[in-house]
Coordinates of all heavy atoms in Angstrom, one line a residue:
M339 N -4.6 0.6 3.0 CA -5.0 0.0 4.3 C -6.2 0.8 4.8 O -6.1 2.0 5.0 CB -3.9 0.0 5.3 CG -4.3 -0.7 6.6 SD -2.9 -0.8 7.8 CE -1.7 -1.8 6.9
G340 N -7.3 0.1 5.2 CA -8.4 0.7 5.7 C -8.1 1.3 7.1 O -7.4 0.8 7.9
T341 N -8.7 2.5 7.4 CA -8.5 3.3 8.6 C -7.1 3.7 8.7 O -6.6 4.0 9.8 CB -9.0 2.7 9.9 OG1 -8.2 1.6 10.2 CG2 -10.5 2.2 9.7
E342 N -6.3 3.7 7.7 CA -4.9 4.1 7.7 C -4.5 4.7 6.4 O -5.4 5.4 5.8 CB -4.0 2.8 7.9 CG -3.5 2.7 9.4 CD -2.2 3.5 9.6 OE1 -1.7 4.0 8.6 OE2 -1.8 3.6 10.7
H343 N -3.3 4.6 6.0 CA -2.8 5.2 4.8 C -2.4 4.2 3.7 O -2.7 3.0 3.8 CB -1.5 6.1 5.2 CG -1.7 7.0 6.3 ND1 -2.7 8.0 6.3 CD2 -1.1 7.2 7.5 CE1 -2.7 8.7 7.4 NE2 -1.7 8.2 8.1
I344 N -1.8 4.7 2.7 CA -1.3 3.8 1.6 C 0.2 3.6 1.8 O 0.9 4.6 2.0 CB -1.6 4.5 0.2 CG1 -3.1 4.6 0.0 CG2 -1.0 3.6 -0.9 CD1 -3.5 5.5 -1.2
Y345 N 0.7 2.4 1.7 CA 2.1 2.1 2.0 C 2.7 1.4 0.7 O 2.1 0.6 0.1 CB 2.2 1.2 3.2 CG 1.8 1.9 4.5 CD1 0.5 1.8 5.0 CD2 2.7 2.7 5.1 CE1 0.2 2.5 6.1 CE2 2.4 3.4 6.3 CZ 1.1 3.2 6.8 OH 0.7 3.9 8.0
L346 N 3.9 1.8 0.5 CA 4.7 1.2 -0.6 C 5.8 0.4 0.0 O 6.6 0.9 0.9 CB 5.3 2.3 -1.5 CG 6.1 1.9 -2.8 CD1 5.9 2.9 -3.9 CD2 7.6 1.7 -2.5
Y347 N 5.9 -0.9 -0.4 CA 7.0 -1.8 0.1 C 7.9 -2.2 -1.0 O 7.5 -2.4 -2.2 CB 6.3 -3.0 0.7 CG 5.3 -2.8 1.8 CD1 4.0 -2.8 1.6 CD2 5.8 -2.6 3.1 CE1 3.1 -2.6 2.6 CE2 4.9 -2.4 4.1 CZ 3.5 -2.4 3.9 OH 2.6 -2.2 4.9
D348 N 9.2 -2.2 -0.7 CA 10.2 -2.7 -1.6 C 10.3 -4.2 -1.4 O 10.8 -4.6 -0.3 CB 11.5 -2.0 -1.4 CG 12.6 -2.4 -2.5 OD1 12.4 -3.5 -3.1 OD2 13.5 -1.6 -2.7
I349 N 9.9 -5.1 -2.4 CA 10.0 -6.5 -2.1 C 11.3 -7.1 -2.5 O 11.5 -8.3 -2.4 CB 8.9 -7.2 -2.9 CG1 9.1 -7.1 -4.5 CG2 7.5 -6.7 -2.6 CD1 8.1 -7.9 -5.3
T350 N 12.3 -6.3 -2.9 CA 13.6 -6.8 -3.3 C 14.6 -6.7 -2.2 O 15.7 -7.3 -2.3 CB 14.2 -6.0 -4.5 OG1 14.4 -4.6 -4.1 CG2 13.2 -6.0 -5.7
R351 N 14.3 -6.1 -1.1 CA 15.2 -6.0 0.0 C 14.5 -5.9 1.3 O 13.3 -5.5 1.4 CB 16.1 -4.7 -0.1 CG 15.5 -3.4 0.1 CD 16.4 -2.3 -0.1 NE 15.9 -1.0 0.2 CZ 16.0 -0.3 1.4 NH1 16.8 -0.9 2.3 NH2 15.5 0.8 1.6
S352 N 15.1 -6.3 2.4 CA 14.5 -6.3 3.7 C 14.7 -4.9 4.4 O 15.9 -4.4 4.4 CB 15.1 -7.4 4.6 OG 14.8 -8.7 4.1
R353 N 13.7 -4.4 5.0 CA 13.8 -3.2 5.8 C 13.1 -3.5 7.1 O 11.9 -3.5 7.2 CB 13.2 -2.0 5.1 CG 13.3 -0.7 5.9 CD 12.7 0.5 5.2 NE 13.0 1.7 5.9 CZ 13.3 2.8 5.3 NH1 13.5 2.9 4.0 NH2 13.5 3.9 6.0
N354 N 13.9 -3.7 8.1 CA 13.3 -4.0 9.4 C 12.8 -2.8 10.1 O 13.3 -1.7 9.9 CB 14.3 -4.7 10.3 CG 14.8 -6.0 9.7 OD1 14.1 -6.8 9.1 ND2 16.1 -6.3 9.9
P355 N 11.7 -2.9 10.9 CA 11.2 -1.8 11.7 C 12.3 -1.2 12.5 O 13.1 -2.0 13.1 CB 10.1 -2.4 12.5 CG 9.6 -3.6 11.7 CD 10.8 -4.1 11.1
L356 N 12.4 0.1 12.6 CA 13.5 0.7 13.3 C 12.9 1.6 14.5 O 12.1 2.5 14.2 CB 14.3 1.6 12.4 CG 15.5 2.3 12.9 CD1 16.5 1.3 13.5 CD2 16.2 3.2 11.8
F357 N 13.4 1.3 15.7 CA 13.0 2.1 16.8 C 14.2 2.8 17.5 O 14.2 4.0 17.7 CB 12.2 1.3 17.8 CG 10.8 0.8 17.3 CD1 10.7 -0.4 16.7 CD2 9.8 1.7 17.3 CE1 9.5 -0.8 16.2 CE2 8.5 1.3 16.7 CZ 8.4 0.1 16.2
L358 N 15.2 2.0 17.9 CA 16.3 2.5 18.5 C 17.6 1.9 18.0 O 17.8 0.7 18.2 CB 16.3 2.4 20.0 CG 17.5 3.0 20.8 CD1 17.6 4.5 20.6 CD2 17.3 2.7 22.3
E359 N 18.4 2.7 17.3 CA 19.7 2.2 16.8 C 20.6 3.4 16.7 O 20.8 4.0 15.6 CB 19.5 1.5 15.5 CG 20.8 0.8 14.9 CD 20.5 0.1 13.6 OE1 20.0 -1.0 13.7 OE2 20.8 0.7 12.6
L360 N 21.2 3.8 17.8 CA 22.0 4.9 17.9 C 23.3 4.7 17.2 O 24.0 3.7 17.4 CB 22.3 5.4 19.3 CG 21.1 5.8 20.1 CD1 21.4 6.2 21.5 CD2 20.4 7.0 19.4
P361 N 23.8 5.6 16.3 CA 25.0 5.4 15.6 C 26.2 5.6 16.5 O 26.1 6.3 17.5 CB 25.0 6.5 14.5 CG 24.2 7.5 15.1 CD 23.1 6.8 15.9
K362 N 27.3 4.9 16.3 CA 28.5 5.1 17.1 C 29.1 6.4 16.8 O 29.3 6.9 15.7 CB 29.5 4.0 16.7 CG 30.7 3.9 17.6 CD 31.6 2.7 17.2 CE 32.8 2.5 18.1 NZ 32.4 2.2 19.5
L363 N 29.5 7.1 17.9 CA 30.2 8.4 17.7 C 31.6 8.2 17.1 O 32.3 7.3 17.5 CB 30.3 9.1 19.1 CG 29.0 9.7 19.7 CD1 29.3 10.4 21.0 CD2 28.3 10.6 18.7
P364 N 31.9 9.0 16.2 CA 33.3 8.9 15.6 C 34.3 9.0 16.8 O 34.3 9.9 17.6 CB 33.4 10.1 14.7 CG 32.0 10.4 14.3 CD 31.2 10.1 15.5
G365 N 35.2 8.0 16.8 CA 36.3 8.0 17.8 C 35.9 7.4 19.1 O 36.7 7.3 20.1
A366 N 34.6 6.9 19.2 CA 34.2 6.2 20.5 C 34.9 4.9 20.6 O 35.2 4.2 19.6 CB 32.7 6.1 20.5
A367 N 35.0 4.4 21.9 CA 35.7 3.2 22.1 C 34.8 2.0 21.7 O 33.6 2.1 21.8 CB 36.0 3.1 23.6
E368 N 35.5 1.0 21.2 CA 34.7 -0.2 20.7 C 34.1 -0.9 21.9 O 34.7 -0.9 23.0 CB 35.7 -1.2 20.1 CG 36.3 -0.8 18.7 CD 35.2 -0.7 17.7 OE1 34.2 -1.4 17.8 OE2 35.3 0.1 16.8
G369 N 32.9 -1.4 21.8 CA 32.2 -2.1 22.8 C 31.4 -1.2 23.8 O 30.8 -1.7 24.7
S370 N 31.5 0.1 23.6 CA 30.7 1.0 24.5 C 29.2 0.8 24.2 O 28.8 0.5 23.1 CB 31.1 2.4 24.3 OG 30.9 2.9 23.0
K371 N 28.4 1.0 25.2 CA 27.0 0.8 25.1 C 26.3 1.6 24.0 O 26.5 2.8 24.0 CB 26.3 1.1 26.4 CG 24.8 0.7 26.5 CD 24.3 1.0 27.9 CE 22.8 0.7 27.9 NZ 22.2 0.9 29.2
S372 N 25.6 0.9 23.1 CA 24.9 1.6 22.0 C 25.8 2.5 21.2 O 25.3 3.5 20.6 CB 23.7 2.4 22.5 OG 22.8 1.5 23.2
G373 N 27.1 2.2 21.1 CA 28.0 3.0 20.4 C 28.3 4.3 21.1 O 28.8 5.2 20.5
A374 N 28.1 4.4 22.4 CA 28.3 5.7 23.1 C 29.7 5.8 23.6 O 30.4 4.8 23.9 CB 27.3 5.8 24.3
D375 N 30.2 7.0 23.7 CA 31.5 7.2 24.4 C 31.2 7.4 25.9 O 30.6 8.3 26.3 CB 32.1 8.5 23.8 CG 33.5 8.8 24.4 OD1 33.9 8.0 25.3 OD2 34.1 9.7 23.9
C376 N 31.7 6.4 26.6 CA 31.3 6.3 28.1 C 32.4 7.0 28.9 O 32.4 6.8 30.1 CB 31.1 4.9 28.5 SG 29.8 4.0 27.6
S377 N 33.3 7.7 28.4 CA 34.4 8.2 29.2 C 34.0 9.4 30.1 O 34.6 9.7 31.1 CB 35.5 8.7 28.3 OG 35.1 9.8 27.5
G378 N 32.9 10.0 29.7 CA 32.4 11.1 30.5 C 33.1 12.4 30.3 O 32.9 13.4 30.9
S379 N 34.1 12.4 29.3 CA 34.9 13.6 29.1 C 34.3 14.5 28.0 O 33.9 14.0 27.0 CB 36.3 13.2 28.7 OG 37.0 14.3 28.2
D380 N 34.1 15.8 28.4 CA 33.5 16.7 27.4 C 34.4 16.8 26.1 O 33.9 17.0 25.0 CB 33.3 18.1 28.0 CG 32.2 18.1 29.0 OD1 31.3 17.2 29.0 OD2 32.2 19.0 29.8
A381 N 35.7 16.6 26.3 CA 36.6 16.8 25.2 C 36.4 15.7 24.1 O 36.7 16.0 22.9 CB 38.0 16.7 25.7
S382 N 35.9 14.6 24.5 CA 35.7 13.5 23.5 C 34.3 13.5 22.8 O 34.0 12.7 22.0 CB 35.9 12.1 24.2 OG 34.9 11.9 25.1
V383 N 33.5 14.4 23.3 CA 32.1 14.4 22.8 C 32.0 15.0 21.4 O 31.3 14.5 20.5 CB 31.2 15.2 23.8 CG1 29.9 15.5 23.1 CG2 31.1 14.4 25.1
G384 N 32.7 16.0 21.1 CA 32.6 16.7 19.8 C 31.5 17.7 19.8 O 30.8 17.9 20.8
T385 N 31.2 18.2 18.6 CA 30.1 19.2 18.5 C 29.2 18.9 17.4 O 29.6 18.1 16.5 CB 30.7 20.6 18.3 OG1 31.5 20.6 17.1 CG2 31.6 21.1 19.4
E386 N 28.0 19.4 17.4 CA 27.1 19.2 16.3 C 27.6 19.8 15.0 O 28.3 20.8 15.0 CB 25.7 19.8 16.6 CG 25.1 19.3 17.9 CD 23.8 19.9 18.2 OE1 22.9 20.0 17.2 OE2 23.5 20.4 19.3
K387 N 27.2 19.1 13.9 CA 27.6 19.6 12.6 C 26.4 20.0 11.8 O 26.3 19.7 10.6 CB 28.4 18.4 11.9 CG 29.7 18.0 12.6 CD 30.4 17.0 11.8 CE 29.6 15.7 11.6 NZ 30.3 14.7 10.9
T388 N 25.5 20.6 12.4 CA 24.2 21.0 11.8 C 24.2 22.3 11.1 O 23.2 22.7 10.6 CB 23.1 20.8 12.8 OG1 23.3 21.7 13.9 CG2 22.9 19.4 13.3
K389 N 25.2 23.1 11.3 CA 25.2 24.5 10.7 C 25.7 24.4 9.3 O 26.9 24.3 9.0 CB 26.1 25.4 11.6 CG 25.7 25.5 13.0 CD 24.3 26.1 13.2 CE 23.9 26.2 14.6 NZ 22.6 26.7 14.8
H390 N 24.8 24.3 8.4 CA 25.1 24.1 7.0 C 24.7 25.3 6.2 O 23.7 26.0 6.5 CB 24.5 22.9 6.4 CG 24.8 21.6 7.1 ND1 26.1 21.2 7.3 CD2 24.0 20.7 7.8 CE1 26.1 20.0 8.0 NE2 24.8 19.8 8.3
K391 N 25.4 25.6 5.2 CA 25.0 26.7 4.3 C 24.4 26.1 3.0 O 25.1 25.5 2.2 CB 26.2 27.6 3.9 CG 25.8 28.8 3.0 CD 27.0 29.7 2.8 CE 26.7 30.9 1.9 NZ 25.5 31.6 2.5
F392 N 23.1 26.1 2.9 CA 22.4 25.5 1.8 C 22.4 26.5 0.7 O 22.6 27.7 0.8 CB 21.0 25.1 2.2 CG 20.9 24.0 3.3 CD1 20.3 24.3 4.5 CD2 21.4 22.8 3.0 CE1 20.2 23.3 5.4 CE2 21.3 21.8 4.0 CZ 20.8 22.0 5.2
S393 N 22.0 26.0 -0.5 CA 21.8 26.8 -1.7 C 20.6 27.7 -1.4 O 19.8 27.4 -0.6 CB 21.6 26.0 -2.9 OG 20.5 25.2 -2.8
P394 N 20.5 28.9 -2.1 CA 19.4 29.8 -1.8 C 18.0 29.1 -1.9 O 17.1 29.4 -1.1 CB 19.6 30.9 -2.9 CG 21.0 30.9 -3.2 CD 21.4 29.4 -3.1
D395 N 17.8 28.3 -2.9 CA 16.5 27.7 -3.1 C 16.1 26.7 -1.9 O 15.0 26.7 -1.4 CB 16.3 27.0 -4.4 CG 17.4 25.9 -4.6 OD1 18.4 26.0 -3.9 OD2 17.2 25.1 -5.5
V396 N 17.1 26.0 -1.4 CA 16.9 25.1 -0.3 C 16.7 25.9 1.0 O 15.9 25.5 1.8 CB 18.1 24.1 -0.2 CG1 18.0 23.3 1.1 CG2 18.2 23.2 -1.4
E397 N 17.5 26.9 1.1 CA 17.4 27.7 2.3 C 16.0 28.4 2.4 O 15.4 28.5 3.5 CB 18.5 28.8 2.3 CG 18.6 29.6 3.6 CD 19.0 28.7 4.8 OE1 19.9 27.8 4.6 OE2 18.5 28.8 5.9
Q398 N 15.5 28.8 1.2 CA 14.1 29.4 1.1 C 13.1 28.3 1.5 O 12.1 28.7 2.3 CB 13.9 29.9 -0.3 CG 12.5 30.5 -0.4 CD 12.3 31.8 0.4 OE1 13.2 32.4 0.8 NE2 11.0 32.0 0.8
L399 N 13.2 27.1 1.1 CA 12.2 26.1 1.4 C 12.3 25.8 2.9 O 11.2 25.6 3.6 CB 12.5 24.8 0.7 CG 12.2 24.8 -0.8 CD1 12.7 23.6 -1.5 CD2 10.6 24.8 -1.0
K400 N 13.5 25.8 3.5 CA 13.6 25.5 4.9 C 13.0 26.7 5.7 O 12.3 26.5 6.7 CB 15.1 25.5 5.3 CG 15.4 25.4 6.8 CD 16.9 25.1 7.0 CE 17.4 25.4 8.4 NZ 17.5 26.8 8.7
K401 N 13.2 27.9 5.2 CA 12.6 29.1 5.9 C 11.1 29.0 5.8 O 10.4 29.3 6.8 CB 13.1 30.3 5.2 CG 12.6 31.6 5.9 CD 13.2 32.8 5.2 CE 12.6 34.1 5.7 NZ 13.2 35.3 5.0
E402 N 10.5 28.6 4.7 CA 9.1 28.5 4.5 C 8.5 27.4 5.4 O 7.4 27.5 6.0 CB 8.7 28.3 3.1 CG 9.0 29.5 2.2 CD 8.8 29.2 0.7 OE1 8.4 28.0 0.4 OE2 9.0 30.1 -0.1
G403 N 9.3 26.3 5.5 CA 8.9 25.2 6.4 C 8.8 25.6 7.8 O 7.8 25.3 8.5
N404 N 9.8 26.3 8.3 CA 9.8 26.8 9.7 C 8.7 27.8 9.9 O 8.0 27.7 11.0 CB 11.1 27.5 10.0 CG 12.3 26.5 10.0 OD1 12.1 25.3 10.0 ND2 13.5 27.1 10.0
A405 N 8.4 28.6 8.9 CA 7.3 29.5 9.1 C 5.9 28.8 9.2 O 5.1 29.1 10.1 CB 7.2 30.6 8.0
S406 N 5.7 27.8 8.4 CA 4.5 27.0 8.4 C 4.4 26.2 9.7 O 3.3 26.1 10.3 CB 4.5 26.0 7.2 OG 4.4 26.7 6.0
L407 N 5.5 25.8 10.2 CA 5.5 25.0 11.5 C 5.1 25.9 12.6 O 4.3 25.5 13.5 CB 6.9 24.4 11.7 CG 7.1 23.5 13.0 CD1 6.1 22.4 12.9 CD2 8.5 23.0 13.1
E408 N 5.6 27.2 12.6 CA 5.2 28.1 13.7 C 3.7 28.4 13.6 O 3.1 28.6 14.7 CB 6.0 29.4 13.5 CG 7.5 29.3 13.9 CD 7.7 29.0 15.4 OE1 6.9 29.5 16.2 OE2 8.6 28.2 15.7
K409 N 3.1 28.4 12.4 CA 1.7 28.7 12.3 C 0.9 27.4 12.5 O -0.4 27.4 12.3 CB 1.4 29.3 10.9 CG 2.1 30.6 10.7 CD 1.9 31.1 9.2 CE 2.6 32.3 8.9 NZ 2.4 32.8 7.5
E410 N 1.5 26.3 12.8 CA 0.9 25.0 12.9 C 0.2 24.5 11.6 O -0.8 23.8 11.6 CB -0.2 25.0 14.1 CG 0.4 25.3 15.4 CD -0.6 25.2 16.6 OE1 -1.8 25.1 16.3 OE2 -0.1 25.2 17.7
Q411 N 0.8 24.9 10.5 CA 0.4 24.4 9.2 C 1.3 23.2 8.9 O 2.2 23.3 8.1 CB 0.5 25.5 8.2 CG -0.4 26.7 8.4 CD -0.2 27.9 7.5 OE1 0.9 28.0 6.9 NE2 -1.1 28.8 7.4
F412 N 1.0 22.1 9.5 CA 2.0 21.0 9.5 C 2.1 20.3 8.2 O 3.2 19.9 7.8 CB 1.6 20.0 10.6 CG 1.5 20.6 12.0 CD1 0.3 20.4 12.7 CD2 2.5 21.3 12.5 CE1 0.2 21.0 14.0 CE2 2.5 21.8 13.8 CZ 1.3 21.7 14.5
L413 N 1.0 20.2 7.4 CA 1.1 19.6 6.1 C 2.0 20.4 5.2 O 2.9 19.8 4.5 CB -0.3 19.4 5.5 CG -0.3 18.8 4.1 CD1 0.2 17.4 4.1 CD2 -1.7 18.8 3.5
Q414 N 1.9 21.7 5.2 CA 2.7 22.5 4.4 C 4.2 22.5 4.9 O 5.1 22.4 4.1 CB 2.2 24.0 4.4 CG 0.9 24.2 3.8 CD 0.4 25.6 3.8 OE1 1.2 26.5 4.0 NE2 -0.9 25.8 3.6
A415 N 4.4 22.5 6.2 CA 5.7 22.4 6.7 C 6.4 21.1 6.3 O 7.6 21.2 5.8 CB 5.7 22.5 8.2
I416 N 5.7 20.0 6.4 CA 6.3 18.7 6.0 C 6.6 18.7 4.5 O 7.7 18.2 4.1 CB 5.4 17.6 6.4 CG1 5.3 17.5 7.9 CG2 5.8 16.3 5.8 CD1 4.1 16.6 8.4
N417 N 5.8 19.3 3.7 CA 6.0 19.3 2.3 C 7.3 20.1 2.0 O 8.1 19.8 1.1 CB 4.8 19.9 1.5 CG 3.6 18.9 1.5 OD1 3.8 17.7 1.8 ND2 2.5 19.3 1.1

Side-chain angles (χ1 to χ4, degrees):
M339 187 179 295
T341 71
E342 254 278 350
H343 306 304
I344 298 168
Y345 292 95
L346 184 149
Y347 301 101
D348 186 337
I349 65 175
T350 65
R351 72 183 185 97
S352 295
R353 180 179 187 138
N354 297 324
L356 182 60
F357 292 98
L358 181 59
E359 188 178 278
L360 295 178
K362 188 177 180 64
L363 289 181
E368 291 293 334
S370 59
K371 185 177 179 182
S372 299
D375 182 356
C376 301
S377 65
S379 170
D380 289 340
S382 64
V383 168
T385 57
E386 299 181 49
K387 298 183 297 182
T388 57
K389 302 300 182 182
H390 304 301
K391 184 173 179 58
F392 295 119
S393 61
D395 55 342
V396 173
E397 192 63 41
Q398 180 62 29
L399 287 169
K400 174 173 168 284
K401 181 179 179 181
E402 293 174 359
N404 290 349
S406 296
L407 184 57
E408 289 294 326
K409 298 176 183 177
E410 298 187 347
Q411 298 171 343
F412 302 126
L413 179 62
Q414 294 181 19
I416 292 167
N417 288 346

